[in-house]
């Protein structure tokens, strides 16, 4: 009898780590499915009240910043405050344009100072950089993005295609899963994308990371049915 009880106890002890591991994986899976289910759903009534929302705005070269500024001009800027502008470390022009926009808003409203911060983030890979060296720069860029997201913890993320938005959006999605901050990610595909999505847009669309995904051409909306067609913003 004692041998049987001892054998049962040893079997339970040996199976305990496996059981705990399966339970942990199950909890993580259910959490991921819940976040994906909630992604894209309307915010709660409490969150939709007229209260300011800290907003992360991702800028980028090649026309992305011009499109983003045009988008900001039609949004309720009083709701999106404080604003945090982020651009690549080698992209000084985008932040200059953002400063001009913020200064013009401050002058028109007669408010001294601006409720915005301007930051730079390391690129994962520069144009022409080898894939061997880009492994290290990707790790550095990811760590820097994580530090910025922990510092900002935005409620809203606005982006429209630059590659620097990918680590920021992925980290924001991870924050949802572990309960640090529920950030609503809004992605507006560039007007230059007429027939197919950019790589950034395709990743965010396929991985269901963006809460709301917008395109500026009707044929894109037909090809990607979860996207919303918003006409041309330029």
């Amino acid at each position: 009898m004692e041998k049987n009880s001892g054998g049962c106890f040893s079997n339970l002890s040996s199976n305990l780590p496996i059981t705990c591991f399966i339970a942990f994986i199950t909890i993580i899976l259910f959490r991921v499915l819940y976040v994906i289910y909630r992604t894209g759903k309307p915010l709660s009534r409490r969150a939709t009240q007229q209260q300011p929302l800290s907003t992360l705005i991702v800028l980028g070269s090649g026309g992305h910043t011009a499109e983003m500024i045009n988008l900001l001009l039609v949004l309720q800027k009083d709701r999106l405050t404080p604003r945090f502008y982020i651009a690549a470390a080698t992209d000084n022009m985008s932040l200059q344009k953002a400063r001009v926009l913020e200064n013009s808003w401050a002058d028109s409203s007669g408010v001294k100072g601006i409720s915005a911060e301007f930051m730079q983030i390391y690129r994962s890979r520069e144009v022409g950089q080898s894939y061997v060296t880009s492994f290290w720069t990707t790790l550095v860029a990811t760590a820097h993005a994580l530090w910025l997201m922990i510092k900002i913890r935005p409620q809203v993320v606005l982006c429209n295609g630059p590659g620097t938005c990918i680590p920021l959006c992925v980290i924001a999605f991870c924050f949802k899963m572990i309960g640090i901050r529920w950030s609503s990610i809004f992605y507006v595909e560039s007007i230059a994308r007429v027939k197919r999505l950019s790589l950034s847009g395709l990743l965010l669309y396929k991985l269901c990371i963006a809460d709301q995904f917008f395109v500026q051409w009707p044929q894109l909306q037909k090809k990607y049915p979860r996207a919303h067609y918003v006409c041309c913003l330029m």
Side-chain angles (χ1 to χ4, degrees):
M1 184 69 178
E2 293 180 356
K3 291 183 178 179
N4 292 335
S5 61
C8 292
F9 181 77
S10 62
N11 289 334
L12 290 174
S13 300
S14 61
N15 292 332
L16 183 60
I18 299 176
T19 304
C20 293
F21 178 76
I22 294 175
F24 176 76
I25 295 299
T26 303
I27 293 173
I28 293 297
L29 179 61
F30 273 103
R31 179 63 182 178
V32 171
L33 294 176
Y34 171 75
V35 171
I36 293 176
Y37 170 77
R38 281 287 310 275
T39 296
K41 295 292 189 299
L43 297 175
S44 63
R45 182 177 300 178
R46 178 182 176 185
T48 54
Q49 293 177 350
Q50 296 297 321
Q51 58 182 1
L53 302 170
S54 60
T55 304
L56 172 63
I57 303 166
V58 186
L59 306 176
S61 57
H64 293 295
T65 295
E67 291 188 35
M68 180 59 71
I69 289 177
N70 284 335
L71 175 61
L72 292 173
L73 290 174
V74 299
L75 297 178
Q76 299 178 10
K77 63 179 183 298
D78 294 335
R79 291 290 312 279
L80 307 177
T81 183
R83 291 177 290 275
F84 301 88
Y85 294 89
I86 286 188
T90 56
D91 183 13
N92 294 319
M93 187 63 68
S94 293
L95 292 182
Q96 289 180 4
K97 293 178 180 179
R99 287 190 178 94
V100 171
L101 175 65
E102 289 291 337
N103 288 330
S104 66
W105 281 343
D107 293 339
S108 62
S109 60
V111 178
K112 294 183 179 180
I114 55 178
S115 60
E117 293 187 31
F118 307 91
M119 305 176 177
Q120 290 182 310
I121 186 174
Y122 294 117
R123 287 182 184 270
S124 298
R125 181 175 180 268
E126 296 291 346
V127 177
Q129 182 181 354
S130 68
Y131 290 101
V132 176
T133 59
S134 64
F135 175 77
W136 167 251
T137 56
T138 299
L139 292 179
V140 174
T142 302
H144 189 212
L146 178 60
W147 179 80
L148 288 175
M149 290 297 290
I150 292 175
K151 178 181 178 181
I152 300 172
R153 290 195 299 169
Q155 296 169 277
V156 175
V157 178
L158 294 178
C159 51
N160 65 345
T164 50
C165 75
I166 294 298
L168 296 170
C169 291
V170 170
I171 292 171
F173 186 80
C174 293
F175 280 4
K176 290 181 182 181
M177 289 194 296
I178 61 181
I180 293 179
R181 167 73 85 176
W182 192 280
S183 301
S184 297
I185 302 172
F186 297 89
Y187 183 90
V188 182
E189 185 57 280
S190 172
I191 193 174
R193 293 294 173 170
V194 180
K195 296 183 178 180
R196 59 183 180 181
L197 298 176
S198 62
L199 179 58
S200 299
L202 187 63
L203 288 173
L204 296 181
Y205 182 89
K206 292 295 185 180
L207 296 176
C208 300
I209 290 179
D211 291 84
Q212 297 292 335
F213 196 101
F214 301 96
V215 294
Q216 303 186 54
W217 296 98
Q219 56 268 34
L220 272 182
Q221 197 277 330
K222 293 179 181 179
K223 190 174 181 179
Y224 304 95
R226 285 192 287 108
H228 302 279
Y229 171 55
V230 291
C231 300
C232 296
L233 300 175
M234 291 295 289

